[in-house]
Amino acid sequence: MQLRYNFRLYPSPGQRHALARAFGCARTVFNDGLRLRQDARMRGLPYISDGELSKHVITRAKATPQRAWLGEVSAVLLQQALADLNVAYRNFFSSVTGKRKGRKVAAPRFRSRKDSRQAIRFTRNARFAVTAGGRLRLPKIGEVEVRWSRTLPSDPSSVTVVKDSAGRYFASFVVETSNEPLPETGPEIGLDLGLTHFAITSDGRKIANPRFLRRAAKQLRKAQKALSRTKKGSANRAKAKLKVAKAHAKVTDTRRDFAHKLSTTLIRDNQAVYVEDLAVSGLARTRLAKSVHDAGWSQFIAMLEYKAVRYGRHFAKINRWFPSSKLCSACGTITDSMPLNVRSWTCPCGAGHDRDVNAAINILAAGQAERLNDCGARVGPGAIPAPREEAVTRQEPHARQTGISVL
């Protein structure tokens, strides 16, 4: 399995200047290649192949006075910028022809020096290295200070240097890692994700929703107001813009840290984890959009998925149309309607349910039934087996409401 390991970089002023030059050269090569292919299409000429494009925008361009400065940076990062363009075109063509699943991919667009994110990539051919002193040696840039938070499990195959909107620099290493299966454990868990509580487990625990964006709203509003008062193009506006970006970056980092710790705990403590396949993109178009984005469900589910593979756990998504909230976990009766304002209800069989805990129990039962289905077919709403009698006793919320403690 290939994973990315990100570390903070602290380049010197001279190295920042060299990185800015490298970002500009990579951006120029990308834009030149895109412009050539667009012009060829407008003239009705054949599609320019990858090899021919490289000759035009890199090899021959270096020999011209207008692009002679491309030789001041490593040739590898120029080739990788062109490789990104080729991948973007392949993804676009696959999406148009229907070979690529998921959302439609747009055609490549020109990159701008004003983009909030700038990046360059070095492969092994560039001969980047980590020195004995713990610095990252980059060709034609120098040895950059790295803040190591952990050791790399193997030699990296590439490193991407990124400058984000907050002006921070990061090194993203791609390393090959082997799976590290954890000892088998008995518990299996179902998760119902929500907004009042971030997650509700099938054993009755309710994990509080941190609402990082809401908590930082006052600080963000103050920074945004200060930005709006500055004059466009002024130095003070650049400083205010950077302050806003740093405030948002802090929210993003805190949310990611929370998702990493919680997903690691759930994968470590449970042999199988089941969640509902939420339509996050659809929910993000409703009046709850801000809260949905603040929760970060997609990021959290993606972490559960890859960590389950790495640590030898089972992970599955339940069909989003499965009526987990309307289905009685005791007798299997499906209620006709269940408005969002109904947080607890009583089934005609006499079982009382907390809406979210009941949904988590049903998600667990549906996931277990689907796993046992040899043909792999989706389990219909009425096809899940009735939970065991002791499952009814798990309806009451767990006494601890503050969420799972993470070491």
Side-chain angles (χ1 to χ4, degrees):
M1 174 186 291
Q2 284 189 337
L3 293 178
R4 283 192 176 273
Y5 282 64
N6 297 325
F7 302 94
R8 182 79 180 270
L9 293 180
Y10 292 91
S12 64
Q15 291 169 344
R16 291 181 184 179
H17 181 74
L19 286 171
R21 183 169 58 244
F23 293 144
C25 290
R27 184 173 60 248
T28 299
V29 168
F30 183 94
N31 291 342
D32 287 348
L34 178 56
R35 190 175 295 108
L36 275 179
R37 280 181 171 160
Q38 287 184 347
D39 291 344
R41 179 177 178 273
M42 294 292 292
R43 296 175 184 177
L45 300 176
Y47 179 79
I48 303 177
S49 65
D50 297 352
E52 190 64 25
L53 191 65
S54 177
K55 292 179 183 178
H56 277 289
V57 300
I58 298 180
T59 308
R60 296 173 187 171
K62 287 181 179 180
T64 64
Q66 296 81 5
R67 294 288 188 267
W69 37 266
L70 291 177
E72 298 177 2
V73 300
S74 172
V76 173
L77 68 88
L78 303 180
Q79 295 166 358
Q80 291 302 307
L82 208 56
D84 290 341
L85 176 63
N86 298 331
V87 170
Y89 264 108
R90 284 196 291 271
N91 291 339
F92 171 62
F93 293 145
S94 298
S95 180
V96 170
T97 57
K99 296 179 181 179
R100 181 185 176 92
K101 298 181 180 179
R103 298 175 118 188
K104 294 295 183 182
V105 177
R109 67 168 183 86
F110 290 101
R111 293 178 175 176
S112 171
R113 64 183 180 86
K114 296 182 180 180
D115 289 343
S116 60
R117 183 182 184 274
Q118 303 286 340
I120 52 176
R121 184 169 64 253
F122 298 92
T123 61
R124 286 175 178 168
N125 294 336
R127 296 183 180 180
F128 70 89
V130 178
T131 65
R135 290 175 174 261
L136 175 62
R137 183 186 295 122
L138 299 173
K140 297 190 177 182
I141 294 176
E143 297 182 0
V144 186
E145 181 184 353
V146 185
R147 182 68 55 85
W148 298 101
S149 56
R150 52 182 172 173
T151 58
L152 294 174
S154 61
D155 293 333
S157 60
S158 68
V159 60
T160 302
V161 179
V162 180
K163 181 184 178 182
D164 66 4
S165 58
R168 303 177 301 177
Y169 293 84
F170 294 91
S172 178
F173 296 92
V174 176
V175 297
E176 192 73 30
T177 62
S178 58
N179 293 340
E180 304 172 2
L182 295 172
E184 289 193 11
T185 183
E188 297 186 358
I189 199 169
L191 292 178
D192 179 51
L193 302 180
L195 295 177
T196 304
H197 294 88
F198 179 78
I200 299 88
T201 65
S202 53
D203 57 5
R205 289 175 291 174
K206 292 189 176 182
I207 302 166
N209 188 355
R211 294 185 176 89
F212 297 110
L213 184 62
R214 301 281 183 181
R215 285 161 51 184
K218 184 177 180 180
Q219 180 184 0
L220 291 170
R221 183 167 56 251
K222 182 179 179 181
Q224 191 65 48
K225 283 184 177 181
L227 174 63
S228 65
R229 295 190 187 102
T230 57
K231 184 179 179 180
K232 291 186 177 180
S234 65
N236 284 337
R237 186 173 182 85
K239 294 178 183 178
K241 186 177 180 181
L242 183 61
K243 190 173 182 179
V244 172
K246 287 183 177 179
H248 279 285
K250 184 177 181 180
V251 173
T252 302
D253 293 344
T254 310
R255 184 188 296 117
R256 186 188 303 111
D257 181 69
F258 168 78
H260 266 301
K261 290 178 178 177
L262 179 58
S263 59
T264 299
T265 299
L266 293 173
I267 291 297
R268 182 189 61 201
D269 297 342
N270 299 278
Q271 187 63 32
V273 178
Y274 305 99
V275 298
E276 191 174 9
D277 186 16
L278 297 172
V280 178
S281 58
L283 293 170
R285 293 194 293 267
T286 67
R287 60 185 179 86
L288 298 174
K290 186 174 182 179
S291 297
V292 170
H293 286 301
D294 192 13
W297 292 330
S298 296
Q299 180 186 56
F300 174 69
I301 292 175
M303 290 180 182
L304 285 175
E305 192 167 8
Y306 89 80
K307 290 179 182 181
V309 174
R310 186 180 185 191
Y311 297 115
R313 302 305 199 205
H314 180 74
F315 173 82
K317 297 179 183 179
I318 306 304
N319 192 329
R320 66 184 58 167
W321 303 112
F322 175 70
S324 57
S325 298
K326 298 190 294 183
L327 181 67
C328 175
S329 58
C331 67
T333 301
I334 300 178
T335 305
D336 294 334
S337 64
M338 186 68 62
L340 286 176
N341 62 341
V342 178
R343 308 315 303 173
S344 60
W345 56 286
T346 303
C347 180
C349 71
H353 298 294
D354 177 286
R355 177 196 180 102
D356 297 326
V357 176
N358 176 69
I361 295 174
N362 287 329
I363 289 172
L364 172 62
Q368 292 173 333
E370 183 177 340
R371 189 178 182 185
L372 293 175
N373 190 355
D374 295 334
C375 66
R378 287 287 184 183
V379 180
I384 67 169
R388 298 186 299 271
E389 292 182 359
E390 59 266 23
V392 181
T393 64
R394 298 183 295 178
Q395 301 172 62
E396 294 301 323
H398 196 272
R400 183 175 57 189
Q401 300 292 323
T402 57
I404 295 179
S405 60
V406 183
L407 298 178

